[in-house]
Amino acid sequence: MRRVSVDSLRPGMKLAKPVIKDMTTLLGEGTELTDRLIAKIKNLTIADVVIDAPREDGITKETLLRQLDLRFQDRDTEPYMALIKRLVREHIEDSHE
Amino acid sequence: MNELSIERLRRKVENINNLPTIPEKIKQISEIIGKPNISLNEISAFISNDPALTTKILKMINSAVYGFPGRISLVSHATVLLGLNVVKGLLIGVSVSEFMEEAMSGLWNHSLACALTARILAQRKKIPEPEEVYAAGLLHDIGKVVLIQSYRKEYEMIMNRAGDRGTTVVEEEKGYFPVNHGIIGGWLAEKWHFPTRLSEMIKNHHDPMKSRTAPKETGLVHLSDIIVRARGIGFPGDYSVPVVNPRAYELLNFSESDIKETLEEMEDVMELTEEPSSL
C-alpha cells in the first residue's frame, strides 16, 4: 500500500483504502481508477489517497540486508547487539518475500 | 572548537529563539506548550485561529498514524478525542516537521518512525503515557537541528567524519562539542518549558539510565532509535547503529516477538504516511 497525492493518480491504479469525505464512503476499497474517477477525486479537495502498490521504491531484500550488515559492522559483539541485528534481519526477510 | 565551554554553548542554544531562521510559529507554539495550566479549549482556539496549522493537525490526525475510523474535521473534536498531552505532542511534531527536514533531509522520517516504534513498545509494556513517549520520539533529535542551525560547518564535518569512519554522529560530536545533541535538545526542551519527563527523555536518549524521573520511557526512545536505524528508515545523520545500553535493554525486557511485531506494525503505518514535504 502506498499513500500518493491526487496529482500522481493514473488510470488502472487500485484503491487500497476507501475514499471517505464527510464521514461518507464515496469510493470503496479495491476500486480501479479511471480518468473519470480521478477527475472526480480531484474535485473533492482531497489531498491524497491510498493505492495498492509495491512496498518501497524497488529496494530489494538483498540491498536491505547488505545495508544492515554495514550499519552494524563490528558492533554485534556488544551485548544484545547481535540479537537486535538478528531480529531486524528476520523481519526484513519475512516482510520482503 | 575545543574551547567552547558548556556555558557558552548553552547560552547560544537558549537564545535560539532569536535566530532569524527559527520560524515565528515554533516560538508561539513553544510558548503555548509551556503554559502550565493551559486548557483544551485554549489549545483548540490557538490551532483553529491558524488555517495552515489546522490543516496540518487534521491531516496528521486523519492519517494512518492515528487511524480513527472516520474523518475528523474539527479541531475541537480532535482535541477532546486525543487529550491534552497528545495534542501538545502533535502540535510540536507538525510544527517542527518541515524545519527538521530542512536541517537534515530524512531526519523527520527517522523521528516519526522512532516515535511510532516507541509508542507501540510503550503500549506493549503498559507504560502509562505512551503519547508522551511518542512525542519524545518525534523530538529526540531536535538537538541536531539546533546544532545544524548554529554550527552548520562543524556539524557537516561531524557527519562526514562519521560517514568516513563508520561511526555515529553522537560519537563524533565529542571532538567538537562539550555535550552531545541529546543534552542540547534537553536544554531547548527545558527552555521551552516542556514537561520534565519529556525533557529528560530527549536529553538522555543516548544514556537512558541517567534519566531520574523516566528511565523506562527514556529507554524506550533509546531502543526505538536503535531499531529504526537498524532497519534503515529515514536518515539521522550517519549510517551506523549506536550500541544499546545493556541495562536499559534488560530493564525493558522485551521478547523477540515483541520487537518483530512492533517493527511490522510501525512499517505498516510508515508506508501509509506522507512525505514530509506534503505534510
Side-chain angles (χ1 to χ4, degrees):
Chain A
M1 282 188 287
R2 190 155 211 92
R3 184 173 283 272
V4 296
S5 82
V6 167
D7 292 325
S8 42
L9 292 178
R10 298 285 172 270
M13 288 178 170
K14 270 194 184 150
L15 292 176
K17 297 254 165 170
V19 172
I20 298 171
K21 173 118 178 154
D22 301 328
M23 312 297 279
T24 312
T25 304
L26 300 174
L27 296 170
E29 192 180 318
T31 305
E32 192 171 322
L33 296 179
T34 58
D35 282 324
R36 199 176 58 87
L37 288 178
I38 292 170
K40 242 184 175 169
I41 293 174
K42 284 185 178 164
N43 280 334
L44 291 171
T45 61
I46 287 175
D48 43 67
V49 298
V50 180
I51 57 152
D52 259 331
R55 300 170 76 108
E56 303 190 47
D57 308 298
I59 300 178
T60 62
K61 181 164 77 179
E62 288 65 35
T63 308
L64 288 172
L65 293 175
R66 204 169 48 244
Q67 289 172 347
L68 179 70
D69 279 334
L70 285 173
R71 286 188 204 104
F72 275 78
Q73 292 194 26
D74 49 358
R75 284 154 204 253
D76 42 12
T77 55
E78 302 281 344
Y80 302 114
M81 291 302 278
L83 171 64
I84 293 175
K85 185 180 173 185
R86 175 172 60 79
L87 294 175
V88 174
R89 191 182 60 234
E90 286 173 5
H91 163 75
I92 293 172
E93 282 168 347
D94 292 347
S95 58
H96 288 78
E97 289 302 340
Chain B
M1 280 304 287
N2 278 333
E3 306 118 59
L4 183 65
S5 71
I6 293 192
E7 292 72 29
R8 226 182 99 208
L9 181 60
R10 182 158 191 161
R11 265 201 308 281
K12 185 142 180 177
V13 170
E14 290 184 339
N15 283 324
I16 193 164
N17 270 3
N18 298 332
L19 280 181
T21 45
I22 299 283
E24 193 55 37
K25 201 80 245 169
I26 294 189
K27 295 178 202 172
Q28 285 177 15
I29 288 172
S30 64
E31 275 166 34
I32 285 278
I33 306 283
K35 273 195 184 176
N37 294 317
I38 187 145
S39 68
L40 268 179
N41 282 341
E42 275 176 273
I43 279 216
S44 299
F46 173 80
I47 299 170
S48 302
N49 274 333
D50 180 332
L53 196 58
T54 301
T55 310
K56 281 185 187 175
I57 291 273
L58 289 178
K59 267 181 105 170
M60 185 86 170
I61 290 169
N62 285 310
S63 75
V65 177
Y66 281 92
F68 288 110
R71 302 289 289 189
I72 296 171
S73 47
L74 284 175
V75 168
S76 56
H77 187 191
T79 52
V80 171
L81 269 178
L82 294 168
L84 196 58
N85 282 340
V86 182
V87 172
K88 278 186 179 182
L90 248 177
L91 205 50
I92 314 168
V94 299
S95 63
V96 298
S97 63
E98 280 166 53
F99 185 54
M100 217 181 228
E101 195 59 17
E102 235 171 62
M104 191 192 285
S105 177
L107 187 58
W108 170 248
N109 259 356
H110 163 74
S111 304
L112 185 60
C114 178
L116 287 165
T117 305
R119 182 171 67 189
I120 299 165
L121 289 173
Q123 285 161 342
R124 281 176 180 259
K125 273 286 148 219
K126 307 224 164 13
I127 298 276
E129 298 259 15
E131 297 302 337
E132 198 175 50
V133 182
Y134 175 82
L138 274 187
L139 297 169
H140 74 284
D141 274 344
I142 192 81
K144 286 181 188 166
V145 179
V146 176
L147 285 174
I148 290 169
Q149 288 291 333
S150 306
Y151 301 95
R152 180 174 293 271
K153 248 207 208 129
E154 287 81 358
Y155 216 78
E156 276 170 4
M157 280 159 76
I158 286 173
M159 286 166 65
N160 284 330
R161 270 179 84 93
D164 291 345
R165 311 198 323 170
T167 53
T168 58
V169 284
V170 73
E171 290 166 286
E172 298 299 340
E173 282 167 2
K174 286 189 192 123
Y176 292 82
F177 299 107
V179 293
N180 70 34
H181 66 266
I183 309 278
I184 287 170
W187 289 344
L188 189 66
E190 282 166 20
K191 165 82 182 171
W192 284 353
H193 304 290
F194 286 3
T196 311
R197 291 154 50 89
L198 180 55
S199 305
E200 277 210 4
M201 286 181 238
I202 296 170
K203 189 174 221 160
N204 301 306
H205 74 268
H206 282 289
D207 202 355
M209 299 315 287
K210 280 210 176 133
S211 170
R212 277 171 297 119
T213 60
K216 262 195 176 172
E217 289 83 348
T218 310
L220 284 171
V221 178
H222 171 72
L223 179 61
S224 302
D225 183 25
I226 290 166
I227 293 176
V228 166
R229 283 154 163 276
R231 174 57 188 80
I233 296 180
F235 178 64
D238 55 49
Y239 298 94
S240 295
V241 178
V243 172
V244 73
N245 180 304
R247 281 175 60 210
Y249 195 85
E250 285 156 14
L251 178 70
L252 292 166
N253 192 27
F254 282 111
S255 70
E256 295 191 6
S257 57
D258 272 332
I259 293 181
K260 283 172 74 174
E261 285 164 20
T262 299
L263 266 166
E264 207 170 303
E265 211 178 308
M266 175 273 290
E267 268 188 60
D268 281 347
V269 178
M270 284 304 288
E271 274 187 28
L272 296 176
T273 309
E274 299 162 59
E275 292 299 308
S277 52
S278 62
L279 201 75

